Amino acid sequence: GWTRHTYYDASGDTSFYVDRQDGKGQDGAKKFFPLTLWRLCDGQYEWRRRHPPSGRTLYGLQELSRRPNSQVLLVEGEKTADAAAQLFPDYVVVTSSGGSKAAAKTDWGPLQGRDCVIWPDNDDPGERYALEVAELATKAGAQWVRIVAISEGISK
């Protein structure tokens, strides 16, 4: 099935969308389709299946603005962010768009002064993503950043 994840700016206006299709067919791979609004040379606007340029909005940014004193939980992926927001309502849950290899294309500035916990996926790309996000959040001025240690006993 299809799921649409809406990225909002700090004021709550739509920034862009990411559509997710869970795997069908032989490879069973999930597929992601960003949808962004582009201004054309003639001044008209058009929706395109392209990622926004660098400086992408955090998924969950509007909640950061609404809850300035809440700790932040950083996870990998919109589906995980939605689930974590239900499980950990005391946290503002955010993620970047574009997967584990695109973290640097996100604007992490809204984490300035925030207490952040990163919960990585239990795989090698998840570990690399967590380390990169920790560095990016620190450079953006996060007050403190911690990474949850995933137990070796958890199956991958």
Side-chain angles (χ1 to χ4, degrees):
W2 286 90
T3 307
R4 173 164 282 177
H5 300 282
T6 305
Y7 282 71
Y8 298 98
D9 64 19
S11 65
D13 293 328
T14 299
S15 184
F16 63 96
Y17 302 99
V18 173
D19 293 336
R20 173 190 173 119
Q21 182 182 31
D22 287 324
K24 303 277 187 209
Q26 289 183 336
D27 68 354
K30 57 191 173 198
K31 295 182 173 105
F32 298 92
F33 302 93
L35 186 61
T36 54
L37 190 62
W38 293 80
R39 185 173 184 193
L40 307 177
C41 294
D42 64 4
Q44 299 295 313
Y45 289 90
E46 175 180 270
W47 287 98
R48 293 188 178 173
R49 290 265 177 216
R50 295 183 56 188
H51 281 287
S54 291
R56 297 174 187 171
T57 305
L58 283 166
Y59 184 72
L61 177 62
Q62 77 284 5
E63 284 300 311
L64 278 176
S65 299
R66 280 188 240 171
R67 298 169 54 193
N69 298 317
S70 295
Q71 287 187 328
V72 180
L73 179 61
L74 297 125
V75 298
E76 184 184 338
E78 299 93 355
K79 184 176 178 181
T80 302
D82 290 345
Q86 296 298 313
L87 293 170
F88 304 103
D90 292 340
Y91 287 81
V92 173
V93 182
V94 300
T95 193
S96 57
S97 75
S100 64
K101 295 181 181 178
K105 295 180 179 180
T106 295
D107 175 10
W108 297 95
L111 298 182
Q112 183 175 7
R114 301 300 286 258
D115 295 341
C116 301
V117 176
I118 302 169
W119 193 312
D121 281 4
N122 190 25
D123 55 19
D124 290 336
E127 185 176 329
R128 287 190 298 274
Y129 176 78
L131 292 171
E132 182 179 9
V133 168
E135 183 178 330
L136 292 165
T138 300
K139 283 183 181 177
Q143 184 169 316
W144 60 261
V145 178
R146 302 289 183 265
I147 299 174
V148 173
I150 303 296
S151 171
E152 292 293 326
I154 297 174
S155 64
K156 292 185 179 181

